[in-house]
Amino acid sequence: MPIDPTKPYDDQNIFAKILRGEIPAKTVYEDDHALAFHDIAPQAPHHILVIPKGAYVSWDDFSARASDAEIAGFIRAVGKVAREARFVEPGYRLLANTGVHAGQEVPHLHVHIFAGQPLGPMLAR
């Protein structure tokens, strides 16, 4: 069910539990600012999620409240994951849903990295 990004952070969401080690994840990258792991229900041949380690509901929340170091670290982590996975050529897609209309389901900022096949148009017309 899509979430409302204006509500307070819920520390019982699945990504918060993964960060605390309460739920296992197939980790591909971790540093001080980010954790990246394989999606349990992949929507492409390669589907990795990258999440910040801080308690941020959405991209809007993160861009408004995160420190400069957190923002830089997170963005660099997304790029590093894509490069290390060798997605740069022939290409990949980044997706971060924010709010009900975008279909955000987990109230913790996360960026999807999709790769491994032609991904088609961005939005259906």
Side-chain angles (χ1 to χ4, degrees), residues 6-91:
T6 63
K7 299 222 183 231
Y9 184 81
D10 173 9
D11 69 358
Q12 294 305 305
N13 75 72
I14 190 168
F15 296 159
K17 291 179 179 183
I18 287 171
L19 285 169
R20 290 193 300 265
E22 296 169 9
I23 296 175
K26 190 174 173 189
T27 300
V28 297
Y29 179 80
E30 183 172 11
D31 66 17
D32 291 342
H33 299 290
L35 176 68
F37 51 92
H38 291 281
D39 194 293
I40 61 169
Q43 302 297 305
H46 303 290
H47 186 171
I48 296 172
L49 299 172
V50 186
I51 63 174
K53 288 192 170 177
Y56 300 103
V57 174
S58 65
W59 192 265
D60 181 65
D61 181 30
F62 181 70
S63 66
R65 295 189 315 107
S67 70
D68 290 348
E70 288 174 298
I71 292 169
F74 181 69
I75 302 256
R76 289 185 187 279
V78 171
K80 184 171 181 142
V81 168
R83 284 189 303 279
E84 288 184 355
R86 301 181 186 265
F87 295 160
V88 175
E89 289 297 330

